[in-house]
Amino acid sequence: MANNKLVVIGGDAAGMTAASKVRREQPEREIIVFEKSDFTSYSACGIPYFISEKVKTYQELIVRDPDTFRNKYHIDVRTQHLVLSVDTDNKKIKVLNKKTDDEFWESYDQLMIATGGKAFCPDVAGYDSENVFGVTTLKSGINIERYIEDKKPQNAVIVGGGYIGLEMAESLLERGLNVSLINRSEQVMNTLDPDMGALVSEALRGLGINLFLSEVLIGFDVKEGKVIAVITDKQSIPTDIVILGMGSRPNTDFLEGSKIELGVRGAIKVDGQLRTNIPDVWAAGDCTESLHLVSKEHVYIALGTIANKTGLVAGSSISGEKTVFPGVVGTAVCKICSYEVARTGLLEKQLQKLNIDYVKATIESRTRAHYYPNSKKIVVKLLAEKNSGRLLGGQIIGEEGAAKRIDVLATALTHNLTLQNIIDLDLSYAPPFSPVWDPVQTAARKLINSI
Ligand SMILES: Cc1cc2nc3c(=O)[nH]c(=O)nc-3n(C[C@H](O)[C@H](O)[C@H](O)COP(=O)(O)OP(=O)(O)OC[C@H]3O[C@@H](n4cnc5c(N)ncnc54)[C@H](O)[C@@H]3O)c2cc1C
């Protein structure tokens, strides 16, 4: 078979989804996967729940281990192999076998890059102390869990108020730690508008988290290899453990000199079939940029939802199918204790930057009929184009049952629906699930009045 040998770099969501799809379509194909860690196909999304002990063992987070891929799917997975560079002219990659320290070149007919993202590391001395942890890989999750188990830290400082920082705050609270969180901007969750972010900040304080907003990490006070205090531009916060949740960027440094074109924040540029600018080279997941269907701009959004879908489309494309990944609308959801936070589409600041004339409305409603037990507050904010009424973005904060309503708005955005279209949707209702007007429709009714 022409183009017989497929080499995949990166053995998690995007890489193994692509490899598995190719295996299903082409049972005889030679497929080699290079993965620098010991693990394949695990749920990084589950790490906070392993640390909180909701999930008892890290093995439960592994969907398929390397032996299963080797024995059941005949995919030659080589763990502890780090790819150092790519030579697209000669169709080969340079690999370091971490077990033996040997370097070698491996040829490919087709190449799939799925190296994911890597966490931002602060440029301050002491970031490599034994009690400072990023949360990116399963190994990092295991290290945090072991440290908590062995050293029994009492005070934690989380740097960064994005969704990973919040999920980690929940995990550490549940392990009984006293949690402080510092955040550079005026509210946590800068994927929300500040007015909605403020509701999350308020909820965090209500949970007992010491929240320090508009505060910047400037250093660590290190004693005997351990950080004993986090220094910000305003204060020094004593701590026993530090968790970094400062965002991530694409893991593409090893592509320098490869002629593979990079775009937003160094993410690999791909087309709808996940092809790069170099023939026979595909890429998917957190190492790639995506097309935003609302702004029509290329964006960098690192999420498992996108990694799994783009991995599948890349696998289809490698197998010769014509499936296309249309793009994203920026839908994300997270939970911190009893609170749920969801967002999709564009924020006010993005609409202003794009010079789009928009209107907005925020409503407060209930997650169930007001008389039904455990009905909780839900706040929905919608943004729509002023003249057409086309939905542009939505944000939801509430308690149980609030967040997944974002999927109605994500569907509306994907299909260019207007506020009237949303009001007309035949959504379900019974008292245990919602008021008779679902809160997203109540918000659309309020906003349509301003058009
Ligand atoms: C704590 C946490 C919680 C999350 N929660 C959610 C969530 O709730 N919802 C959601 O949608 N997303 C979530 N995500 C994001 C999601 O996990 C990622 O988007 C997804 O794992 C990306 O998959 P990927 O295959 O593109 O990259 P990765 O999962 O990062 O996999 C890349 C793989 O490539 C390997 N690799 C990298 N460089 C090399 C190299 N040079 N040579 C060999 N191997 C290499 C890495 O070891 C890794 O195994 C979360 C992430 C974290 C860390």
Side-chain angles (χ1 to χ4, degrees):
M1 188 195 295
N3 293 335
N4 194 34
K5 184 173 168 186
L6 170 66
V7 170
V8 179
I9 313 176
D12 194 24
M16 294 322 293
T17 302
S20 303
K21 170 68 179 166
V22 175
R23 171 54 72 241
R24 284 196 296 279
E25 300 305 323
Q26 301 179 332
E28 303 305 322
R29 185 84 186 263
E30 181 182 5
I31 305 175
I32 303 176
V33 178
F34 290 108
E35 165 54 52
K36 68 179 178 185
S37 74
D38 286 319
F39 304 106
T40 51
S41 277
Y42 61 89
S43 170
C45 316
I47 291 170
Y49 309 104
F50 164 62
I51 293 170
S52 70
E53 295 185 316
K54 277 194 189 81
V55 176
K56 296 291 171 222
T57 64
Y58 74 80
Q59 286 88 347
E60 290 169 64
L61 300 182
I62 298 172
V63 185
R64 283 194 191 102
D65 62 19
D67 279 342
T68 307
F69 280 113
R70 285 182 205 120
N71 300 333
K72 196 166 168 199
Y73 299 96
H74 310 296
I75 294 174
D76 180 1
V77 175
R78 302 193 196 166
T79 50
Q80 290 289 325
H81 281 71
L82 172 73
V83 175
L84 301 171
S85 63
V86 176
D87 175 353
T88 49
D89 289 338
N90 297 298
K91 294 185 104 170
K92 58 183 187 176
I93 60 173
K94 192 179 191 183
V95 187
L96 168 70
N97 180 338
K98 291 166 65 183
K99 286 179 267 192
T100 60
D101 245 356
D102 289 334
E103 280 181 21
F104 61 94
W105 288 93
E106 183 79 38
S107 67
Y108 64 83
D109 293 308
Q110 295 183 317
L111 180 68
M112 164 78 196
I113 304 169
T115 46
K118 61 177 172 193
F120 271 115
C121 214
D123 190 15
V124 294
Y127 75 87
D128 51 355
S129 303
E130 66 168 82
N131 59 344
V132 178
F133 299 92
V135 198
T136 38
T137 58
L138 185 52
K139 183 83 175 69
S140 60
I142 295 168
N143 291 344
I144 297 171
E145 208 284 326
R146 284 194 182 141
Y147 192 86
I148 295 173
E149 201 53 40
D150 293 348
K151 309 282 179 186
K152 313 262 182 278
Q154 292 184 353
N155 299 300
V157 174
I158 296 173
V159 186
Y163 80 92
I164 290 181
L166 265 54
E167 290 179 351
M168 285 305 299
E170 170 183 304
S171 304
L172 298 177
L173 282 176
E174 288 182 2
R175 292 294 295 260
L177 279 81
N178 172 36
V179 178
S180 301
L181 191 148
I182 62 170
N183 191 55
R184 174 186 283 272
S185 41
E186 60 179 308
Q187 300 299 341
V188 291
M189 294 293 289
N190 66 8
T191 51
L192 301 175
D193 287 329
D195 54 338
M196 296 294 275
L199 299 180
V200 184
S201 300
E202 193 184 306
L204 297 185
R205 289 196 181 98
L207 292 169
I209 294 169
N210 312 307
L211 190 59
F212 303 108
L213 299 173
S214 305
E215 210 160 314
V216 182
L217 168 77
I218 56 168
F220 293 122
D221 191 353
V222 182
K223 200 170 168 195
E224 291 165 9
K226 279 189 196 165
V227 171
I228 55 165
V230 171
I231 320 285
T232 75
D233 54 346
K234 297 190 180 140
Q235 60 175 325
S236 165
I237 311 167
T239 192
D240 306 311
I241 182 171
V242 180
I243 304 288
L244 303 173
M246 303 167 75
S248 68
R249 66 181 187 84
N251 208 347
T252 54
D253 293 348
F254 73 108
L255 295 177
E256 207 184 312
S258 70
K259 300 186 183 159
I260 294 171
E261 197 181 342
L262 306 181
V264 183
R265 290 164 63 178
I268 302 170
K269 275 197 169 298
V270 284
D271 66 9
Q273 289 179 266
L274 284 307
R275 295 175 296 200
T276 69
N277 63 313
I278 303 288
D280 290 328
V281 181
W282 284 256
D286 283 5
C287 61
T288 58
E289 58 175 33
S290 307
L291 175 67
H292 199 294
L293 296 174
V294 184
S295 69
K296 309 289 181 216
E297 291 184 320
H298 286 97
V299 291
Y300 180 64
I301 300 178
L303 284 174
T305 46
I306 304 171
N308 280 281
K309 286 176 195 137
T310 54
L312 184 63
V313 173
S316 301
S317 178
I318 293 166
S319 310
E321 295 173 3
K322 297 271 180 273
T323 322
V324 169
F325 182 68
V328 303
V329 293
T331 311
V333 63
C334 78
K335 180 179 96 65
I336 162 90
C337 298
S338 60
Y339 296 96
E340 301 181 355
V341 181
R343 56 97 60 228
T344 189
L346 300 177
L347 300 176
E348 287 198 54
K349 66 180 176 203
Q350 293 169 313
L351 294 170
Q352 287 156 11
K353 206 167 148 212
L354 291 164
N355 278 321
I356 296 175
D357 206 3
Y358 68 94
V359 288
K360 59 180 173 177
T362 303
I363 61 106
E364 193 179 306
S365 180
R366 308 296 299 178
T367 52
R368 310 169 200 263
H370 68 276
Y371 51 81
Y372 194 87
N374 291 324
S375 154
K376 297 282 188 327
K377 186 170 111 172
I378 171 172
V379 178
V380 180
K381 176 173 182 177
L382 295 186
L383 303 161
E385 195 169 43
K386 187 158 188 190
N387 293 327
S388 67
R390 178 173 68 109
L391 185 72
L392 296 168
Q395 296 157 50
I396 300 178
I397 297 168
E399 292 186 65
E400 195 194 341
K404 281 295 273 180
R405 287 178 154 100
I406 204 72
D407 291 340
V408 172
L409 300 176
T411 310
L413 284 172
T414 304
H415 296 285
N416 284 314
L417 299 193
T418 63
L419 295 171
Q420 188 58 55
N421 295 146
I422 293 170
I423 294 166
D424 292 343
L425 291 173
D426 184 16
L427 300 184
S428 60
Y429 156 70
F433 301 106
S434 127
V436 69
W437 280 93
D438 189 274
V440 297
Q441 292 182 309
T442 305
R445 286 178 63 193
K446 180 170 179 195
L447 185 51
I448 208 167
N449 292 331
S450 26
I451 292 175

